[in-house]
């Protein structure tokens, strides 16, 4: 995995690397700043029952990231997504809430002072079975932080009230597996699916949904979805076996406003900048993370990214820290790396 | 063009320029929403009061021809309109050597757009329709002259059908229209000028269509006096979604959803505005300390990436394999309350249920209870039929049969007419008493089908006709069975056929189904 490129030296000075004993997939930045620095959660990716979630502490001044072994805990199966509670969630205790998806939606309370991680709840949306249809992803509503939406391979999305630990509503969202979900507003969310469509739902009228995009070859699965929190007109999605990041404008359904096609292999992860409405970062199988600035007008030769970072291997995960917008986290192989923007 | 990020940093541009750019977008939306060929705004001249001259336009003709892909050519359409305008101006310049004194031109505004198109149009590239649009730019109308002048003077909408045959006095471009196949032209006053739309089809006056177009245009004008650019940008964007941007008019639900989202977005970006502007410069590549390097096109291509592994390996596993890991655990134990806990027993049981399901007609349900219910019903039917048949046949097998059916119910419901039938099947094989039987039943049609695992034993007695054996074989073949032993003879126009067959592959037809099909062939409807 040695990078022979001449720029590897300058990169190593600016990127902070955490080496994990196991391959990593899920990753999340906390919105809280704790005594020891900014908290990051990483989930192992072992194709087995026994997996772990490790909590790391990142100090951006000293550019160090260190694991907090006391806060490491077991997780059944690899978490498909991790997310810390949005800053809007007010809680009586000082601890941070972490949600994970997989066989169930689980909530964990991380209390650094007492060095404990407490499982708060295991949420099962099935009334008839003690098992829940497997979850591919979820999104925490940051406007209404008691609301959390999960999506499943059983074609449904479930909206939870996590304060009461009850299902607020469950919708058959797609014709096939739902791969990702993203909130736009307190009551509006969008989802992508193996059926190749992006649909928008409004909880005030659950009977309807609107397809705002369909993949060009029918039934090319859409894998991930990111809604631009700074400018809710725009969202981004990625397709199976495609090097494209498709940018959509919710006002003009069916027609993408831009397609970012400079990855040399398939794209695995996308994240909008938390502090700017026109920047998005994508990571792919070509080992590169690209930062794009969406132009007002696309040129005839397509859109070039602003900047590029080359990791050692396929980038599987990418998160842009909203509490530290200068930092982007990526996961590849058994490494988690923090990149300064 | 549609990718307008509301950044609000734009330098204070002239009002008219901004208005024109908005107007151009609105014209584009209006013309696109009705799929007409072009839209022109004739504005009143600043130099000659009362005279209408070219203000703004949008050409949509090419997209009309390629209806299929017109969505993706939306951007292209706006671009095309600009290219056409630029071509016109360059031609004007080249021909007369005078500069154009149209104050409404906003070419500077579009400079970057024009640069972004690699090629410059030449007059040879133009279709007749485009030529019509281009030449229209040279027209000016004095009050009450031609269609635009009259619309302006009367303040009314004028709908002109068969424009290509109109008198020159009424419509001065009728000859041009003929070559461009423009057939319908509509003019109505708007913002002190006149909007003109045209299409290559003959369309009779349609008030809904007009209202549609006007609503596209009017909504925007309400916001034009707003000097706060940022705010306006947002309001416009909200307005846009109310236009038929590919959304059907009745889709109020989605409009409401969008306006909720965008109102929220506007609120939020309003609050964060300062924050954003303050922070935006931070995202600049190659700042000292950045992990990212400035993108260089050539460098990237030289680096020649070769993919070793399957694409999106981990992501696919997370979305597909990991969920299956849960379900693997989920299914074995899911029904644990119902039955035995040994999974192999349960698997066998499930297998048998699925066999049963294939045997019993009209079972589409997969749950065990419905399979059993249907089986019971089916067996009752069969019993009734057996009784009925035997009463009219006086069969030698009467006792045996009765025993069999009861046995089946008590014993195992798995395989109909199979278990304990070995003695029967040997009897069929045994031909010694057959002649006798045939004479006994010579006028009786008789059909028996027995199923033993994948083997089927069939006994047919019926009146002979040509090709009947071939037909029977074909029927079996259609039921995915291959006969491996056939014995038949015909006596006094009466066929006796004993046949053994095996199922091809996994497909298993039920006894009932085989009987039904065979009955059809032998022409018996008992």
């Amino acid at each position: 995995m040695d990078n022979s490129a001449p720029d590897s030296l300058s990169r190593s000075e600016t990127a902070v690397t955490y080496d994990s004993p196991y391959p990593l997939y899920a990753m999340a930045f906390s919105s809280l700043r704790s005594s020891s620095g900014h908290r990051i959660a990483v989930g192992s990716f072992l194709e087995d029952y026994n997996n772990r979630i490790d909590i790391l502490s990142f100090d951006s001044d000293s550019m160090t990231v260190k694991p907090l072994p006391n806060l490491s805990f077991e997780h059944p199966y690899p978490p498909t997504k991790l997310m810390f509670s949005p800053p809007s969630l007010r809680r009586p205790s000082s601890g941070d809430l972490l949600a994970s998806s997989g066989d169930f939606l689980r909530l964990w309370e991380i209390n650094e002072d007492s060095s404990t991680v407490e499982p708060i709840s295991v949420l099962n949306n099935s009334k008839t079975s003690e098992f829940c249809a497997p979850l591919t992803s979820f999104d925490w509503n940051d406007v209404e932080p008691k609301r959390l939406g999960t999506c499943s391979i059983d074609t449904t999305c479930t909206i939870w009230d996590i304060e009461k630990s009850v299902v607020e509503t469950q919708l058959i969202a797609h014709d096939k597996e739902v791969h990702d979900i993203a909130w736009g507003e307190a009551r509006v969310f969008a989802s992508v699916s193996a059926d190749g469509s992006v649909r928008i739902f409004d909880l005030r009228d659950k009977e309807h949904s609107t397809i705002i995009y369909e993949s060009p070859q029918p039934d090319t699965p859409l894998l991930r979805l990111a809604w631009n929190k700074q400018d809710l007109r725009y969202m981004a999605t990625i397709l199976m076996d495609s090097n494209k990041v498709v940018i959509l404008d919710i006002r003009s359904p069916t027609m993408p406003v831009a397609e970012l096609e400079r990855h040399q292999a398939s794209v695995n992860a996308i994240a909008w900048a938390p502090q700017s409405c026109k920047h998005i970062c994508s990571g792919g199988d070509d080992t590169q993370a690209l930062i794009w600035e969406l132009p007002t007008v696309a040129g005839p030769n397509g859109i070039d990214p602003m900047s590029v970072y080359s990791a050692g291997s396929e980038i599987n995960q990418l998160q842009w820290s909203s509490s530290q917008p200068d930092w982007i986290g990526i996961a590849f192989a058994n490494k988690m790396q923090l990149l300064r923007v | 063009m549609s990718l307008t990020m509301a950044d609000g940093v734009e330098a204070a541009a002239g009002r008219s320029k901004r208005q024109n750019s908005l107007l151009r977008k609105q014209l584009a939306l209006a013309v696109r929403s009705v799929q007409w060929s072009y839209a022109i705004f004739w504005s009143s001249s600043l130099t000659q009061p009362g005279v209408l001259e070219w203000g703004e336009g949008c050409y949509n003709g090419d997209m009309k021809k390629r209806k299929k892909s017109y969505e993706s050519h939306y951007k292209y359409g706006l671009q095309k309109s600009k290219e056409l305008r630029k071509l016109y101006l360059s031609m004007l310049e080249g021909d007369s050597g005078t500069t154009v004194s149209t104050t409404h031109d906003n070419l500077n505004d579009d400079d970057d757009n024009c640069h972004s198109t690699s090629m410059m149009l030449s007059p040879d590239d133009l279709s007749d329709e485009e030529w019509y649009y281009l030449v229209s730019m040279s027209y000016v109308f004095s009050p009450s002259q031609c269609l635009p002048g009259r619309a302006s003077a009367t303040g009314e909408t004028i709908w002109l059908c068969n424009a290509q045959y109109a008198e020159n006095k009424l419509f001065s471009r009728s000859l041009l229209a003929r070559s461009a196949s423009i057939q319908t032209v509509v003019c109505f006053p708007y913002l002190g000028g006149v909007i003109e739309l045209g299409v290559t089809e003959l369309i009779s006056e349609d008030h809904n269509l007009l209202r549609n177009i006007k609503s596209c245009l009017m909504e925007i004008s309400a916001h034009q006096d707003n000097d706060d650019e940022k705010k306006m940008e947002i309001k416009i964007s909200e307005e846009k979604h109310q236009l038929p941007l590919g959304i059907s008019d009745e889709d109020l639900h989605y409009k409401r959803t969008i306006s909720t989202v965008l109102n929220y977005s506007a609120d939020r970006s309003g609050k964060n505005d300062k924050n954003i502007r303050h922070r935006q410069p931070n995202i600049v590549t190659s700042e000292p300390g950045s992990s990212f390097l400035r993108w260089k096109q050539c460098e990237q291509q030289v680096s020649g990436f070769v993919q070793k592994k399957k694409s999106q390996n981990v992501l696919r596993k997370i979305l597909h394999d990991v969920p299956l890991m849960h379900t693997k655990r989920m299914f074995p134990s899911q029904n644990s309350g119902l039955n035995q806990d040994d999974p192999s027993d349960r698997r066998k049981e499930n297998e048998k249920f699925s066999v049963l399901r294939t045997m019993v007609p009209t079972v589409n349900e997969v749950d065990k209870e419905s399979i059993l219910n249907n089986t019971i019903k089916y067996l009752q039917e069969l019993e009734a039929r057996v009784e009925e048949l035997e009463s009219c046949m006086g069969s030698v097998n009467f006792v045996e049969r009765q025993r069999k059916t009861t046995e089946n119910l008590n014993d195992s419901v798995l395989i109909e007419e199979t278990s304990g039938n070995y003695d029967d099947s040997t009897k069929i094989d045994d031909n010694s008493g057959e002649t006798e039987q045939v004479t006994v039943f010579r006028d009786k049609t008789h059909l028996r089908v027995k199923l033993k695992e994948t083997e089927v034993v069939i006994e047919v007695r019926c009146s002979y006709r040509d090709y009947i054996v071939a037909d029977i074989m074909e029927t079996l073949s259609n039921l995915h069975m291959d006969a491996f032993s056939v014995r038949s003879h015909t006596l006094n126009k009466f066929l006796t056929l004993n046949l053994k067959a095996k199922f091809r592959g996994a497909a298993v037809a039920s006894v009932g189904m085989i009987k039904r099909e065979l009955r059809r062939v032998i022409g018996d409807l008992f």
Side-chain angles (χ1 to χ4, degrees), chain A residues 7 11 14 25 45 47-48 77 102-103 129 131-132 134 136 142-143 153 179 185 188 200 202 204-205 208 210 212 223-224 229-230 232-234 239-241 250-251 253-255 257 262 264-268 275-276 278-279 285-286 288-289 291 294-297 300 304-309 314 316 325 339-341, chain B residues 1-7 71-72 74-75 113 116-118 237 240-241 245 247 251 253-254 256-258 260-262 264-265 268-269 272 276 279-280 282-285 289-295 297 300 303-305 307 309-323 325-327 329-330 333-334:
Chain A
D7 44 81
R11 269 212 307 264
T14 52
Y25 177 71
F45 174 68
E47 290 171 79
D48 194 1
Y77 303 108
D103 52 350
S129 162
F131 297 101
C132 170
T136 49
D142 61 354
V143 190
I153 60 164
H179 285 156
E185 188 258 355
V188 179
I200 291 191
D202 190 331
R204 290 166 300 183
D205 185 354
H208 292 92
T210 304
I212 63 154
L223 303 182
R224 289 299 194 214
K229 292 283 153 73
Q230 291 295 328
L232 291 165
R233 286 178 289 174
Y234 300 101
L239 294 81
M240 184 178 274
D241 293 327
I250 60 169
R251 296 163 304 161
T254 71
M255 179 186 63
V257 288
R262 291 292 183 264
Q264 292 164 64
S266 302
V267 185
N268 291 319
Q275 81 282 27
S276 147
K278 29 164 104 173
H279 292 91
D285 280 341
D286 59 357
Q288 295 189 327
I291 298 182
L294 298 182
T296 311
V297 175
D304 280 332
M306 286 166 71
S307 55
V308 54
Y309 174 81
E314 293 88 347
N316 297 317
L339 313 175
R340 193 196 278 277
V341 175
Chain B
M1 210 58 234
S2 48
L3 193 88
T4 46
M5 290 287 186
D7 57 2
E71 284 269 50
S72 55
Y74 171 49
K75 264 193 256 182
N113 300 343
S116 64
T117 34
S118 44
S237 61
K240 268 190 203 162
H241 76 260
L245 255 175
I247 313 167
D251 204 346
H253 163 73
Y254 186 59
R256 199 180 56 159
T257 303
I258 287 209
T260 313
V261 170
L262 294 179
Y264 172 72
S265 184
R268 194 181 244 205
S269 63
N272 295 351
I276 294 165
R279 275 178 161 174
Q280 210 123 26
N282 280 2
I283 306 180
V284 174
T285 44
S290 169
S291 314
F292 287 82
L293 296 168
R294 184 168 285 282
W295 166 271
Q297 177 75 44
Q300 297 306 319
S303 73
F305 167 80
Q307 184 157 7
K309 292 177 203 156
K310 199 176 150 197
S311 126
Q312 296 169 328
N313 192 28
V314 172
L315 181 55
R316 274 173 201 244
K317 279 185 177 163
I318 282 286
L319 293 174
H320 297 133
D321 300 356
V322 171
M325 286 161 61
H326 311 313
T327 45
R329 186 209 52 185
M330 202 161 103
S333 43
Q334 198 172 31

Side-chain angles (χ1 to χ4, degrees), chain B residues 412-441:
Chain B
S412 148
V413 286
L414 269 185
I415 301 164
E416 186 193 351
E417 290 192 19
T418 41
S419 46
N421 277 351
Y422 298 100
D423 49 346
D424 247 31
S425 57
T426 47
K427 194 170 240 164
I428 295 175
D429 286 344
D430 181 7
N431 266 343
S432 56
E434 208 170 62
T435 339
E436 207 184 35
Q437 276 184 14
V438 170
T439 44
V440 173
F441 304 116

Side-chain angles (χ1 to χ4, degrees), chain A residues 79-316:
Chain A
T80 54
K81 177 154 179 174
L82 289 173
M83 207 172 169
F84 282 98
S85 53
S88 46
L89 186 72
R90 303 258 181 271
R91 301 192 71 243
S93 63
S94 61
D96 215 350
L97 271 194
L98 178 72
S100 69
S101 61
D103 52 350
F104 296 103
L105 174 66
R106 294 163 194 269
L107 292 175
W108 317 81
E109 179 165 13
I110 292 157
N111 203 319
E112 203 175 318
D113 303 328
S114 55
S115 281
T116 52
V117 174
E118 298 282 341
I120 301 260
S121 45
V122 178
L123 302 167
N124 179 6
N125 61 8
S126 169
K127 291 182 191 76
T128 53
S129 162
E130 57 184 302
F131 297 101
C132 170
L135 306 173
T136 49
S137 186
F138 69 94
D139 193 27
W140 210 317
N141 192 318
D142 61 354
V143 190
E144 184 61 88
K146 66 171 187 182
R147 199 172 271 158
L148 198 152
T150 61
C151 55
S152 164
I153 60 164
D154 71 355
T155 74
T156 66
C157 291
T158 305
I159 310 304
W160 289 92
D161 180 333
I162 55 162
E163 265 174 21
K164 298 182 191 141
S165 291
V166 294
V167 173
E168 201 178 316
T169 186
Q170 185 171 18
L171 309 160
I172 295 175
H174 286 267
D175 302 330
K176 289 188 180 167
E177 296 91 334
V178 189
H179 285 156
D180 207 357
I181 180 170
W183 289 102
E185 188 258 355
R187 283 164 302 190
V188 179
F189 71 90
S191 58
V192 292
S193 155
D195 68 10
S197 64
V198 179
R199 300 188 195 207
I200 291 191
F201 296 82
D202 190 331
L203 293 181
R204 290 166 300 183
D205 185 354
K206 292 165 207 151
E207 300 303 306
H208 292 92
S209 72
T210 304
I211 295 181
I212 63 154
Y213 176 70
E214 279 178 299
S215 50
Q217 273 80 42
D219 287 350
T220 303
L222 301 177
L223 303 182
R224 289 299 194 214
L225 177 72
W227 204 323
N228 186 339
K229 292 283 153 73
Q230 291 295 328
D231 187 340
L232 291 165
R233 286 178 289 174
Y234 300 101
M235 55 174 79
T237 185
I238 54 175
L239 294 81
M240 184 178 274
D241 293 327
S242 164
N243 71 332
K244 274 187 216 171
V245 177
V246 177
I247 309 290
L248 307 170
D249 182 334
I250 60 169
R251 296 163 304 161
S252 55
T254 71
M255 179 186 63
V257 288
E259 293 187 327
L260 314 176
E261 313 179 69
R262 291 292 183 264
H263 275 288
Q264 292 164 64
S266 302
V267 185
N268 291 319
I270 40 175
W272 290 95
Q275 81 282 27
S276 147
C277 61
K278 29 164 104 173
H279 292 91
I280 185 167
C281 188
S282 57
D285 280 341
D286 59 357
T287 78
Q288 295 189 327
L290 302 177
I291 298 182
W292 311 77
E293 179 171 42
L294 298 182
T296 311
V297 175
N301 302 319
I303 299 164
D304 280 332
M306 286 166 71
S307 55
V308 54
Y309 174 81
S310 293
S313 67
E314 293 88 347
I315 298 174
N316 297 317

